[in-house]
Amino acid sequence: MQREAVIVAAVRSPIGKRNGALSGMHPVDLGADVLTELAQRVDLDPVTIDDVVWGCVTTVGEQSSNVGRQSVLAAGWPDSIPAVTIDRACGSSQQALAFAAAGVIAGQYDIAVAGGVESMSRVPMGSTRDRGPGQARGDRVAQRYPGASFSQGEASDMIAARWHLERSAIDEYALRSHNLAARAQDVGDFADEIVPISTGGQSVVADEGVRRSSSMEALAKLTPVFSDGGVTTAGNSSQISDAAAALLVTTGEIAARKGWKPLARVHSSAVTAVDPVLMLTGPISATYAVLRRAGLSLGEIDTFEVNEAFASVVLAWQAETGADLDRVNPSGGAVALGHPLGCSGARLAVSLVHRMQREGHRYGLQAICEAGGMANAMVLERL
């Protein structure tokens, strides 16, 4: 009988704004607090964990030296618990979940933790490129794509142009994200997934990025950031943020033996790659790939989490797939909540799992674009 990978606990920190409430907290300690809560949710003895697979993008400074392993130690878990930190750009912690699930299915792990962290306040985006962004690619890549800037913001503008997305439509989507996130906060949709974080003499309990006073008029006043004649602004882009998230993965048999109620099964996952200059269209191909692997149609998916790196990315994905926008990011997304790079994929999964449980959805699909022209997609099935 083939083993299955099930998620039995899923938690995240609040998402802090850049230089906000979580900016005074070391990312190792932020990750440790999330790991501690994860174990407490199911009365897990950490000594039984086979591996911790952790996502992080900017692995320098405070996020260097295998930040996943350092978080394990900071949590007070036994020295015997290994951890690995991986980087698949913005999809790092979603890839961590896919790797953990694959390890469980293959029999390499019985119990694994997947998740990730990013403190963009303390370890700024791009700080790994000490010799300039071009040096990271080398001469041959530059020769293959002459004149390319490999800018995600410019890619957002190119996507808007290719899919004929007007600035007003993009701003309207951004406002939708804030309004839905505010509503989700008000009705308590995030209550079961968020771990309160104590730092600086206060307890941080809510995502900080939601702008309740945002309006179409305010968004329209913002100047495009990346391209002359572009449509991408600070208001319709994801926010720079700090956060951590984690999920506990095991087999159905082990969960039953330990008395854990599975929240969802990792049904299928896929990773695809696209043109690295346009780069942010990957969720389209990844969605089709994971649906083929799952043997499901788009219409069978009850709810979606598509990372809002830029509002244009989700609108292009929706235009191409034909998905019902009412089922996409119904609690808001990264435009309102924030995009703490190495945490974001796990954050999508945490929110998706809890929504599926809360609303009785059977299938959920999450997809996330990644720098370099890649994307991860995953289908979860509620159990």
Side-chain angles (χ1 to χ4, degrees), residues 44-71:
L44 167 71
D45 182 354
V47 76
T48 62
I49 297 170
D50 294 306
D51 204 359
V52 174
V53 189
W54 206 241
C56 186
V57 176
T58 311
T59 52
V60 297
E62 293 179 352
Q63 294 179 164
S64 62
S65 300
N66 190 352
V67 66
R69 169 65 172 170
Q70 303 309 316
S71 293

mmCIF file of all heavy atoms in Angstrom, residues 44-71:
data_model
loop_
_atom_site.group_PDB
_atom_site.id
_atom_site.type_symbol
_atom_site.label_atom_id
_atom_site.label_comp_id
_atom_site.label_asym_id
_atom_site.label_seq_id
_atom_site.Cartn_x
_atom_site.Cartn_y
_atom_site.Cartn_z
ATOM 1 N N LEU A 44 3.360 17.007 20.228
ATOM 2 C CA LEU A 44 4.419 16.265 19.537
ATOM 3 C C LEU A 44 5.699 16.269 20.358
ATOM 4 O O LEU A 44 6.143 17.330 20.824
ATOM 5 C CB LEU A 44 4.684 16.917 18.168
ATOM 6 C CG LEU A 44 5.948 16.482 17.423
ATOM 7 C CD1 LEU A 44 5.789 15.062 16.901
ATOM 8 C CD2 LEU A 44 6.253 17.436 16.279
ATOM 9 N N ASP A 45 6.299 15.096 20.505
ATOM 10 C CA ASP A 45 7.635 15.017 21.072
ATOM 11 C C ASP A 45 8.620 15.288 19.941
ATOM 12 O O ASP A 45 8.740 14.477 19.015
ATOM 13 C CB ASP A 45 7.883 13.630 21.655
ATOM 14 C CG ASP A 45 9.256 13.516 22.319
ATOM 15 O OD1 ASP A 45 10.057 14.474 22.225
ATOM 16 O OD2 ASP A 45 9.523 12.459 22.918
ATOM 17 N N PRO A 46 9.338 16.408 19.956
ATOM 18 C CA PRO A 46 10.198 16.756 18.822
ATOM 19 C C PRO A 46 11.245 15.705 18.490
ATOM 20 O O PRO A 46 11.725 15.653 17.352
ATOM 21 C CB PRO A 46 10.861 18.068 19.270
ATOM 22 C CG PRO A 46 9.911 18.648 20.259
ATOM 23 C CD PRO A 46 9.335 17.472 20.973
ATOM 24 N N VAL A 47 11.599 14.860 19.446
ATOM 25 C CA VAL A 47 12.636 13.863 19.179
ATOM 26 C C VAL A 47 12.219 12.903 18.078
ATOM 27 O O VAL A 47 13.065 12.251 17.452
ATOM 28 C CB VAL A 47 12.999 13.103 20.479
ATOM 29 C CG1 VAL A 47 11.927 12.072 20.845
ATOM 30 C CG2 VAL A 47 14.368 12.436 20.363
ATOM 31 N N THR A 48 10.913 12.808 17.798
ATOM 32 C CA THR A 48 10.423 11.890 16.768
ATOM 33 C C THR A 48 10.486 12.485 15.362
ATOM 34 O O THR A 48 10.185 11.789 14.389
ATOM 35 C CB THR A 48 8.971 11.483 17.055
ATOM 36 O OG1 THR A 48 8.126 12.656 17.027
ATOM 37 C CG2 THR A 48 8.856 10.820 18.426
ATOM 38 N N ILE A 49 10.874 13.748 15.230
ATOM 39 C CA ILE A 49 10.935 14.398 13.912
ATOM 40 C C ILE A 49 12.170 13.919 13.164
ATOM 41 O O ILE A 49 13.287 13.941 13.683
ATOM 42 C CB ILE A 49 10.974 15.930 14.067
ATOM 43 C CG1 ILE A 49 9.688 16.434 14.723
ATOM 44 C CG2 ILE A 49 11.175 16.611 12.710
ATOM 45 C CD1 ILE A 49 9.742 17.886 15.132
ATOM 46 N N ASP A 50 11.986 13.471 11.937
ATOM 47 C CA ASP A 50 13.097 12.974 11.127
ATOM 48 C C ASP A 50 13.877 14.090 10.444
ATOM 49 O O ASP A 50 15.082 13.944 10.218
ATOM 50 C CB ASP A 50 12.575 11.996 10.068
ATOM 51 C CG ASP A 50 12.020 10.730 10.693
ATOM 52 O OD1 ASP A 50 12.749 10.086 11.472
ATOM 53 O OD2 ASP A 50 10.854 10.390 10.422
ATOM 54 N N ASP A 51 13.198 15.175 10.082
ATOM 55 C CA ASP A 51 13.893 16.280 9.418
ATOM 56 C C ASP A 51 12.998 17.513 9.430
ATOM 57 O O ASP A 51 11.768 17.413 9.486
ATOM 58 C CB ASP A 51 14.245 15.913 7.972
ATOM 59 C CG ASP A 51 15.426 16.705 7.409
ATOM 60 O OD1 ASP A 51 15.971 17.557 8.134
ATOM 61 O OD2 ASP A 51 15.802 16.459 6.246
ATOM 62 N N VAL A 52 13.645 18.657 9.382
ATOM 63 C CA VAL A 52 12.970 19.938 9.208
ATOM 64 C C VAL A 52 13.453 20.514 7.885
ATOM 65 O O VAL A 52 14.658 20.733 7.711
ATOM 66 C CB VAL A 52 13.268 20.904 10.374
ATOM 67 C CG1 VAL A 52 12.660 22.282 10.093
ATOM 68 C CG2 VAL A 52 12.747 20.341 11.687
ATOM 69 N N VAL A 53 12.524 20.739 6.956
ATOM 70 C CA VAL A 53 12.846 21.283 5.639
ATOM 71 C C VAL A 53 12.344 22.719 5.621
ATOM 72 O O VAL A 53 11.141 22.962 5.702
ATOM 73 C CB VAL A 53 12.208 20.453 4.505
ATOM 74 C CG1 VAL A 53 12.750 20.903 3.152
ATOM 75 C CG2 VAL A 53 12.468 18.968 4.710
ATOM 76 N N TRP A 54 13.265 23.665 5.508
ATOM 77 C CA TRP A 54 12.963 25.079 5.810
ATOM 78 C C TRP A 54 13.298 25.940 4.597
ATOM 79 O O TRP A 54 14.349 25.776 3.983
ATOM 80 C CB TRP A 54 13.795 25.502 7.006
ATOM 81 C CG TRP A 54 13.261 26.612 7.848
ATOM 82 C CD1 TRP A 54 13.840 27.817 8.088
ATOM 83 C CD2 TRP A 54 12.050 26.610 8.622
ATOM 84 N NE1 TRP A 54 13.077 28.563 8.954
ATOM 85 C CE2 TRP A 54 11.965 27.846 9.295
ATOM 86 C CE3 TRP A 54 11.022 25.676 8.782
ATOM 87 C CZ2 TRP A 54 10.897 28.178 10.130
ATOM 88 C CZ3 TRP A 54 9.950 26.003 9.609
ATOM 89 C CH2 TRP A 54 9.899 27.237 10.270
ATOM 90 N N GLY A 55 12.426 26.857 4.252
ATOM 91 C CA GLY A 55 12.657 27.760 3.141
ATOM 92 C C GLY A 55 13.150 29.119 3.604
ATOM 93 O O GLY A 55 12.691 29.635 4.631
ATOM 94 N N CYS A 56 14.069 29.688 2.871
ATOM 95 C CA CYS A 56 14.539 31.053 3.118
ATOM 96 C C CYS A 56 15.242 31.520 1.853
ATOM 97 O O CYS A 56 15.972 30.743 1.216
ATOM 98 C CB CYS A 56 15.492 31.105 4.302
ATOM 99 S SG CYS A 56 15.980 32.788 4.774
ATOM 100 N N VAL A 57 15.034 32.767 1.477
ATOM 101 C CA VAL A 57 15.580 33.264 0.221
ATOM 102 C C VAL A 57 16.906 33.985 0.423
ATOM 103 O O VAL A 57 17.898 33.690 -0.238
ATOM 104 C CB VAL A 57 14.564 34.181 -0.494
ATOM 105 C CG1 VAL A 57 15.165 34.790 -1.753
ATOM 106 C CG2 VAL A 57 13.306 33.381 -0.853
ATOM 107 N N THR A 58 16.951 34.929 1.340
ATOM 108 C CA THR A 58 18.155 35.738 1.519
ATOM 109 C C THR A 58 18.974 35.152 2.665
ATOM 110 O O THR A 58 18.851 35.552 3.820
ATOM 111 C CB THR A 58 17.783 37.200 1.783
ATOM 112 O OG1 THR A 58 16.838 37.629 0.796
ATOM 113 C CG2 THR A 58 19.001 38.095 1.697
ATOM 114 N N THR A 59 19.814 34.184 2.334
ATOM 115 C CA THR A 59 20.520 33.420 3.361
ATOM 116 C C THR A 59 21.902 34.018 3.635
ATOM 117 O O THR A 59 22.938 33.390 3.409
ATOM 118 C CB THR A 59 20.627 31.940 2.957
ATOM 119 O OG1 THR A 59 21.180 31.863 1.636
ATOM 120 C CG2 THR A 59 19.279 31.270 2.979
ATOM 121 N N VAL A 60 21.890 35.254 4.096
ATOM 122 C CA VAL A 60 23.111 35.937 4.534
ATOM 123 C C VAL A 60 22.835 36.544 5.907
ATOM 124 O O VAL A 60 21.687 36.627 6.352
ATOM 125 C CB VAL A 60 23.560 37.041 3.552
ATOM 126 C CG1 VAL A 60 23.906 36.454 2.203
ATOM 127 C CG2 VAL A 60 22.485 38.114 3.413
ATOM 128 N N GLY A 61 23.893 36.988 6.573
ATOM 129 C CA GLY A 61 23.732 37.649 7.861
ATOM 130 C C GLY A 61 22.979 36.780 8.847
ATOM 131 O O GLY A 61 23.335 35.620 9.078
ATOM 132 N N GLU A 62 21.915 37.302 9.396
ATOM 133 C CA GLU A 62 21.153 36.586 10.408
ATOM 134 C C GLU A 62 20.403 35.377 9.856
ATOM 135 O O GLU A 62 19.902 34.559 10.638
ATOM 136 C CB GLU A 62 20.172 37.549 11.087
ATOM 137 C CG GLU A 62 20.867 38.629 11.907
ATOM 138 C CD GLU A 62 19.891 39.584 12.552
ATOM 139 O OE1 GLU A 62 18.684 39.509 12.253
ATOM 140 O OE2 GLU A 62 20.331 40.413 13.370
ATOM 141 N N GLN A 63 20.304 35.270 8.540
ATOM 142 C CA GLN A 63 19.631 34.125 7.934
ATOM 143 C C GLN A 63 20.616 33.169 7.271
ATOM 144 O O GLN A 63 20.224 32.306 6.492
ATOM 145 C CB GLN A 63 18.561 34.612 6.936
ATOM 146 C CG GLN A 63 17.441 35.347 7.635
ATOM 147 C CD GLN A 63 16.356 35.890 6.736
ATOM 148 O OE1 GLN A 63 15.285 36.225 7.213
ATOM 149 N NE2 GLN A 63 16.598 36.009 5.446
ATOM 150 N N SER A 64 21.881 33.288 7.610
ATOM 151 C CA SER A 64 22.895 32.378 7.079
ATOM 152 C C SER A 64 23.068 31.196 8.027
ATOM 153 O O SER A 64 22.311 31.043 8.987
ATOM 154 C CB SER A 64 24.223 33.115 6.905
ATOM 155 O OG SER A 64 24.688 33.587 8.153
ATOM 156 N N SER A 65 24.044 30.360 7.759
ATOM 157 C CA SER A 65 24.377 29.218 8.630
ATOM 158 C C SER A 65 23.187 28.291 8.851
ATOM 159 O O SER A 65 22.956 27.808 9.959
ATOM 160 C CB SER A 65 24.923 29.721 9.979
ATOM 161 O OG SER A 65 26.080 30.501 9.795
ATOM 162 N N ASN A 66 22.421 28.035 7.778
ATOM 163 C CA ASN A 66 21.282 27.119 7.836
ATOM 164 C C ASN A 66 20.272 27.592 8.880
ATOM 165 O O ASN A 66 20.171 27.041 9.987
ATOM 166 C CB ASN A 66 21.752 25.687 8.118
ATOM 167 C CG ASN A 66 20.645 24.652 7.956
ATOM 168 O OD1 ASN A 66 19.478 24.988 7.776
ATOM 169 N ND2 ASN A 66 21.017 23.380 8.026
ATOM 170 N N VAL A 67 19.510 28.607 8.527
ATOM 171 C CA VAL A 67 18.578 29.228 9.465
ATOM 172 C C VAL A 67 17.547 28.225 9.980
ATOM 173 O O VAL A 67 17.051 28.353 11.108
ATOM 174 C CB VAL A 67 17.897 30.464 8.811
ATOM 175 C CG1 VAL A 67 17.012 30.071 7.645
ATOM 176 C CG2 VAL A 67 17.126 31.269 9.840
ATOM 177 N N GLY A 68 17.237 27.190 9.197
ATOM 178 C CA GLY A 68 16.324 26.158 9.677
ATOM 179 C C GLY A 68 16.892 25.409 10.863
ATOM 180 O O GLY A 68 16.216 25.195 11.887
ATOM 181 N N ARG A 69 18.148 24.991 10.759
ATOM 182 C CA ARG A 69 18.800 24.286 11.862
ATOM 183 C C ARG A 69 18.926 25.195 13.084
ATOM 184 O O ARG A 69 18.701 24.758 14.223
ATOM 185 C CB ARG A 69 20.184 23.805 11.416
ATOM 186 C CG ARG A 69 21.096 23.288 12.519
ATOM 187 C CD ARG A 69 20.579 22.038 13.189
ATOM 188 N NE ARG A 69 21.594 21.496 14.110
ATOM 189 C CZ ARG A 69 21.389 20.531 14.981
ATOM 190 N NH1 ARG A 69 20.196 19.968 15.076
ATOM 191 N NH2 ARG A 69 22.375 20.107 15.765
ATOM 192 N N GLN A 70 19.258 26.461 12.876
ATOM 193 C CA GLN A 70 19.389 27.373 14.008
ATOM 194 C C GLN A 70 18.036 27.556 14.711
ATOM 195 O O GLN A 70 17.976 27.686 15.934
ATOM 196 C CB GLN A 70 19.940 28.720 13.552
ATOM 197 C CG GLN A 70 21.287 28.648 12.844
ATOM 198 C CD GLN A 70 22.325 27.859 13.606
ATOM 199 O OE1 GLN A 70 22.460 28.003 14.814
ATOM 200 N NE2 GLN A 70 23.070 27.018 12.892
ATOM 201 N N SER A 71 16.949 27.561 13.947
ATOM 202 C CA SER A 71 15.617 27.690 14.544
ATOM 203 C C SER A 71 15.265 26.460 15.368
ATOM 204 O O SER A 71 14.613 26.568 16.420
ATOM 205 C CB SER A 71 14.568 27.929 13.453
ATOM 206 O OG SER A 71 14.756 29.193 12.843
#
